[in-house]
Amino acid sequence: MVEENLYRIVEVSLKRGTDRRDVGIMTVRQALELPDVPSLEYTHPDLNSRAGGRFLTRDQLEAYACS
């Protein structure tokens, strides 16, 4: 994993159907330490993606941390 990417900030949300509940704002490292729950979504660390409605899956966030 790229150390610099682990300290970027993401917003974590829990999605249930059309409802989305904010979990919190944390570093990529902290987000990846959360339990592997399929309904968790993460904003992109380099983009203001919440405004655009684009969220990452856990696998995509792990790939980002390794790039």
Side-chain angles (χ1 to χ4, degrees):
M1 293 198 180
V2 178
E3 192 72 21
E4 179 181 318
N5 289 348
L6 293 174
Y7 293 102
R8 301 227 184 239
I9 300 297
V10 295
E11 184 174 341
V12 181
S13 300
L14 179 68
K15 186 169 183 185
R16 301 272 178 165
T18 59
D19 190 32
R20 179 175 283 115
R21 300 284 181 173
D22 294 336
V23 174
I25 297 171
M26 58 193 75
T27 66
V28 170
R29 178 188 301 271
Q30 291 169 321
L32 292 174
E33 289 174 353
L34 293 172
D36 188 4
V37 178
S39 55
L40 285 180
E41 296 180 323
Y42 313 88
T43 57
H44 194 288
D46 291 334
L47 306 172
N48 181 7
S49 56
R50 182 168 174 101
R54 184 170 183 273
F55 290 88
L56 301 177
T57 65
R58 182 183 183 89
D59 290 340
Q60 291 169 324
L61 188 63
E62 285 176 350
Y64 172 83
C66 292
S67 63

